[in-house]
């Protein structure tokens, strides 16, 4: 057991929440314990150990992410990140679209410099054939809503989808995620998202073209997507493909 851990299930889902709810994702809730710590708890009792292993691994390589303070069963206690998300800063006009794209590209480049831990295995509960492993750590959910702008710099949170894989797949997933907003014609941020996708693809040192089909398949099978949202994924992939073709012609 890692120093500072608690025994498995010592932080059981039946325990009272330690503080107010900060945010809820597809599979987990995040509670504030105090000003320095948060608790991330999987609602269905999913074992957090794979996420903990990757978080500790990337932190050992100085990647900007929360520190794991203790963990057990479906719970992870982590350092609390203070600051707006990149998405909030964009909405408030505090960050330009090109600058946001460069932040995303830089985080990808830093993360893909972290080698995959030799012993890490894809969790059995993931029915994602696209996650066959690879040479580096990948986040697979790196978008402006998961980047916190702290006083120390941008920090990447929400590592629920993290795995080992290829930089191409990770970059492709980010491009498709943002493109889903871009192809939502009724959305308030579709034009801004289109500009961010274009700037992100231009800023990235990695072309996601070879992994684009896998990224679309992965996003299409993501739990929690509503039917209308799922229908946007192939359109998003097509938009990314078009933008990549235009970039290659220059």
């Amino acid at each position: 057991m890692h120093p500072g851990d608690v025994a498995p299930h010592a932080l059981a889902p039946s325990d009272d929440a330690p503080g107010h709810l900060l945010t809820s994702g597809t599979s987990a809730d995040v509670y504030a314990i105090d000003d320095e710590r948060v608790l991330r708890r999987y609602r269905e009792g999913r074992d957090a150990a794979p996420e903990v292993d990757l978080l500790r691994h990337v932190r050992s390589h100085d990647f900007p992410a929360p520190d794991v303070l203790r963990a057990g069963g479906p719970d992870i206690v982590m350092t609390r990140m203070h600051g707006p998300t990149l998405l909030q800063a964009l909405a408030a006009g505090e960050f330009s679209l090109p600058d946001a794209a460069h932040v995303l590209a830089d985080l990808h480049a830093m993360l893909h410099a972290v080698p995959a831990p030799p012993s890490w295995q894809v969790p059995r509960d993931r029915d994602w054939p696209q996650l066959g492993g690879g040479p580096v750590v990948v986040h697979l959910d790196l978008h402006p809503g998961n980047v916190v702008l702290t006083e120390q710099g941008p920090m990447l949170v929400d590592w629920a989808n993290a795995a080992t894989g290829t930089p191409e797949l990770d970059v492709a997933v980010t491009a498709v995620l943002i493109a889903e907003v871009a192809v939502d014609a009724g959305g308030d941020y579709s034009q801004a998202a289109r500009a961010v996708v274009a700037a992100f693809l231009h800023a990235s040192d990695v072309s996601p073209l070879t992994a684009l089909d896998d990224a679309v398949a992965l996003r299409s099978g993501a739990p929690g997507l509503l039917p209308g949202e799922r229908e946007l994924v192939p359109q998003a992939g097509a938009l990314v493909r078009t933008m990549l073709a235009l970039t290659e012609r220059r």
Side-chain angles (χ1 to χ4, degrees):
M1 188 176 294
H2 193 281
D5 278 356
V6 294
H9 305 300
L11 298 171
S14 59
D15 290 348
D16 291 335
H20 70 275
L21 182 67
L22 290 176
T23 185
S24 288
T26 302
S27 58
D29 301 312
V30 179
Y31 300 92
I33 298 176
D34 54 34
D35 198 49
E36 302 297 328
R37 300 174 298 162
V38 296
L39 166 65
R40 179 179 176 84
R41 171 170 289 165
Y42 283 103
R43 288 188 294 274
E44 301 301 324
R46 168 178 155 183
D47 184 9
E51 181 177 349
V52 169
D53 289 344
L54 284 184
L55 256 176
R56 285 180 168 147
H57 180 68
V58 299
R59 287 297 299 128
S60 73
H61 286 76
D62 295 323
F63 184 83
D67 287 311
V68 175
L69 304 177
R70 54 178 180 153
D75 292 344
I76 314 173
V77 177
M78 298 178 285
T79 51
R80 184 173 179 178
M81 303 287 101
H82 291 281
T85 65
L86 181 56
L87 182 61
Q88 290 169 333
L90 280 169
E94 298 169 352
F95 232 82
S96 72
L97 301 180
D99 285 347
H102 277 281
V103 167
L104 298 176
D106 289 347
L107 285 170
H108 271 289
M110 285 189 287
L111 182 58
H112 302 154
V114 178
S119 61
W120 197 87
Q121 300 292 325
V122 176
R124 293 180 183 177
D125 62 350
R126 288 186 180 172
D127 188 21
W128 290 351
Q130 296 81 10
L131 299 185
V136 300
V137 176
V138 292
H139 188 270
L140 300 178
D141 202 17
L142 205 170
H143 58 76
N146 280 337
V147 178
V148 180
L149 302 175
T150 73
E151 290 184 354
Q152 293 74 38
M155 298 276 185
L156 185 56
V157 299
D158 195 351
W159 291 76
N161 291 348
T164 61
T166 65
E168 289 79 7
L169 178 61
D170 210 12
V171 170
V173 169
T174 289
V176 171
L177 277 165
I178 303 172
E180 288 171 34
V181 181
V183 297
D184 184 3
D188 294 334
Y189 302 107
S190 58
Q191 291 302 315
R194 184 179 291 265
V196 172
V197 174
F200 169 68
L201 293 173
H202 181 74
S204 176
D205 292 332
V206 173
S207 171
L209 185 60
T210 58
L212 189 54
D213 288 341
D214 282 344
V216 169
L218 190 152
R219 282 295 301 156
S220 295
L225 280 185
L226 298 175
E229 295 171 330
R230 207 176 302 278
E231 291 172 3
L232 295 175
V233 177
Q235 300 174 47
L239 175 61
V240 174
R241 192 178 300 277
T242 298
M243 287 185 169
L244 285 169
L246 291 173
T247 301
E248 290 175 356
R249 289 177 193 153
R250 290 175 182 173

